[in-house]
């Protein structure tokens, strides 16, 4: 048994999807045979904050525009005097983690603390619900999307990987932690703090930036492009149809731009190579 919510568009044809989800994975498929856009939000969890977030997901449809909002499953953390019980062990938070039992089932990774498969501390903040009694793993949120040809996508997330199979009119991607992997798109606007951007082709406009991560554009056909990263490589392959200005910048990393001899090309790196 799983927790899920499904929405199928009432309007046929291409849509503009605006999706916000804090944690999990976003899988988008552009289907030439699809007549109506479809979004499925689901998790293997049947109870707890992850299941609640799925069940509280909201779908707002106006014409060919669909807004999907999945609540943050990490909202509503406990206060400093609260307690989390895991089997026979008791953990209190406030000035550190105090364990009155054993440490079995506790994992610490990149500063996050997991207990019994449940994330208790994330990004330096206690995120477990007050009085939570943690059992097995609670699962993650997955959003599966099917879009008709000609659709556009906007994704806003804290911690979610996004994968797009097929071509879209535009992609707007805003993530704190999460990578974007996509097929073809006319207009790309992508910004992530920790994560990479990998897109097969950009046909019109490119605006991509990341603090920690690489940017790779397989075929750039655009008329205006900018790719910036602080820590990571920038790789762009321009085609003969590309025009105008193309900027590629990184502070720590390499820049490799192919086929851009006919463009107004600007490149810069502080620690790395340009070729």
């Amino acid at each position: 048994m799983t927790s899920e919510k499904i929405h199928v568009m009432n309007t046929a044809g291409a849509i503009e999807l605006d999706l916000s989800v804090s944690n999990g994975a976003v899988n988008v498929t552009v289907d030439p045979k699809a007549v109506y856009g479809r979004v499925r939000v689901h998790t293997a969890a049947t109870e707890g904050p992850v299941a609640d977030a799925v069940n509280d997901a909201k779908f707002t449809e106006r014409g060919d525009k669909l807004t999907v909002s999945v609540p943050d499953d990490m909202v509503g953390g406990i206060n400093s005097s609260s307690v989390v019980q895991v089997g026979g062990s008791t953990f209190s938070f406030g000035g550190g983690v105090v364990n009155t039992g054993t440490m079995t089932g506790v994992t610490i990774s990149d500063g996050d603390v997991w207990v019994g498969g449940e994330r208790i501390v994330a990004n330096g903040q206690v995120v477990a619900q007050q009085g939570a009694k943690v059992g097995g793993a609670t699962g993650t949120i997955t959003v599966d999307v099917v879009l008709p040809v000609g659709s556009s996508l906007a994704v806003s997330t804290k911690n979610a990987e996004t994968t797009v199979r097929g071509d879209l009119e535009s992609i707007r991607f805003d993530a704190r932690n999460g990578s974007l992997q996509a097929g073809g798109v006319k207009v790309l606007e992508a910004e992530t703090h920790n994560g990479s951007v990998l897109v097969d082709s950009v046909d019109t406009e490119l605006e991509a930036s990341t603090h920690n991560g690489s940017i790779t554009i397989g075929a750039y056909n655009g008329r205006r492009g900018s790719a910036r990263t602080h820590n990571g490589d920038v790789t762009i392959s321009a085609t003969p149809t590309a025009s105008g200005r193309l900027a590629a910048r990184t502070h720590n990393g390499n820049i490799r731009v192919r086929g851009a001899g006919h463009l107004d090309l600007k490149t810069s790196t502080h620690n790395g190579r340009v070729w």
Side-chain angles (χ1 to χ4, degrees), residues 41 51 114 125 225 238 253 258:
V41 183
W114 298 77
Q125 295 183 340
R258 305 182 185 93

Side-chain angles (χ1 to χ4, degrees), residues 47 84-87 105 115-118 120 132-138:
E47 60 182 10
V84 176
Q85 294 180 343
V86 187
V115 182
E118 175 82 16
I120 304 301
K133 295 186 178 181
V134 183
T138 58

Side-chain angles (χ1 to χ4, degrees), residues 117-207:
E118 175 82 16
R119 182 156 45 182
I120 304 301
V121 175
N123 299 316
Q125 295 183 340
V126 177
V127 295
Q129 291 184 328
Q130 184 169 350
K133 295 186 178 181
V134 183
T138 58
T140 58
I141 296 173
T142 301
V143 182
D144 293 324
V145 179
V146 176
L147 296 176
V149 172
S151 296
S152 297
L153 172 69
V155 175
S156 176
T157 180
K158 290 181 180 178
N159 302 287
E161 304 296 313
T162 298
T163 303
V164 180
R165 297 175 179 85
D167 299 341
L168 290 170
E169 290 293 302
S170 67
I171 296 177
R172 287 189 292 111
F173 179 71
D174 186 359
R176 186 174 67 186
N177 300 300
S179 296
L180 170 67
Q181 183 173 348
V185 62
K186 290 183 179 179
V187 177
L188 173 66
E189 298 179 25
E191 181 176 0
T192 177
H193 187 78
N194 297 304
S196 298
V197 176
L198 174 60
V199 179
D200 291 344
S201 65
V202 176
D203 289 340
T204 306
E205 296 183 13
L206 164 66
E207 184 72 30

Side-chain angles (χ1 to χ4, degrees), residues 8-252:
V8 179
M9 288 288 291
N10 295 306
T11 302
I15 70 170
E16 296 179 19
L17 173 62
D18 190 339
L19 167 66
S20 61
V21 57
S22 292
N23 305 286
V26 178
N27 303 310
V28 180
T29 300
V30 182
D31 186 353
K33 297 180 180 179
V35 178
Y36 297 93
R38 180 179 184 272
V39 178
R40 178 185 178 227
V41 183
H42 61 100
T43 178
T46 57
E47 60 182 10
V50 175
D52 291 342
V54 170
N55 294 327
D56 291 338
K58 294 182 179 180
F59 302 87
T60 304
E61 181 178 340
R62 293 187 177 91
D64 63 351
K65 297 178 174 60
L66 175 62
T67 301
V68 179
S69 178
V70 183
D72 189 348
D73 59 301
M74 293 301 168
V75 167
I78 61 179
N79 57 44
S80 61
S81 61
S82 297
V83 170
V84 176
Q85 294 180 343
V86 187
S89 302
T90 302
F91 296 80
S92 64
F93 297 86
V97 180
V98 179
N99 176 27
T100 62
T102 68
M103 291 296 288
T104 302
V106 177
T107 302
I108 300 175
S109 176
D110 296 328
D112 290 359
V113 180
W114 298 77
V115 182
E118 175 82 16
R119 182 156 45 182
I120 304 301
V121 175
N123 299 316
Q125 295 183 340
V126 177
V127 295
Q129 291 184 328
Q130 184 169 350
K133 295 186 178 181
V134 183
T138 58
T140 58
I141 296 173
T142 301
V143 182
D144 293 324
V145 179
V146 176
L147 296 176
V149 172
S151 296
S152 297
L153 172 69
V155 175
S156 176
T157 180
K158 290 181 180 178
N159 302 287
E161 304 296 313
T162 298
T163 303
V164 180
R165 297 175 179 85
D167 299 341
L168 290 170
E169 290 293 302
S170 67
I171 296 177
R172 287 189 292 111
F173 179 71
D174 186 359
R176 186 174 67 186
N177 300 300
S179 296
L180 170 67
Q181 183 173 348
V185 62
K186 290 183 179 179
V187 177
L188 173 66
E189 298 179 25
E191 181 176 0
T192 177
H193 187 78
N194 297 304
S196 298
V197 176
L198 174 60
V199 179
D200 291 344
S201 65
V202 176
D203 289 340
T204 306
E205 296 183 13
L206 164 66
E207 184 72 30
S209 65
T210 177
H211 188 79
N212 299 304
S214 62
I215 298 174
T216 304
I217 308 299
Y220 174 70
N221 309 298
R223 59 175 182 264
R224 183 176 63 188
S226 174
R228 306 181 308 277
T229 178
H230 188 79
N231 298 304
D233 296 338
V234 176
T235 304
I236 302 175
S237 295
T239 70
T241 60
S243 62
R245 182 174 180 176
L246 175 63
R249 296 184 173 90
T250 179
H251 187 79
N252 300 304

